[in-house]
Coordinates of all heavy atoms in Angstrom, one line a residue:
T2 N 116.9 14.0 98.2 CA 118.3 14.4 97.9 C 118.4 15.9 98.0 O 117.4 16.7 98.1 CB 118.6 14.1 96.4 OG1 117.8 14.8 95.5 CG2 118.5 12.6 96.2
M10 N 109.5 24.5 97.2 CA 109.0 25.8 97.5 C 108.6 25.9 99.0 O 107.8 25.0 99.4 CB 107.9 26.2 96.6 CG 107.5 27.6 96.7 SD 106.7 28.2 95.3 CE 105.1 28.6 95.9
Q44 N 100.4 40.1 94.5 CA 101.1 39.0 93.8 C 100.5 37.7 94.4 O 100.9 36.6 94.0 CB 102.6 39.0 94.1 CG 103.3 40.2 93.4 CD 104.7 40.3 93.8 OE1 105.3 39.4 94.4 NE2 105.4 41.3 93.4

Side-chain angles (χ1 to χ4, degrees):
T2 66
M10 187 158 120
Q44 295 174 8

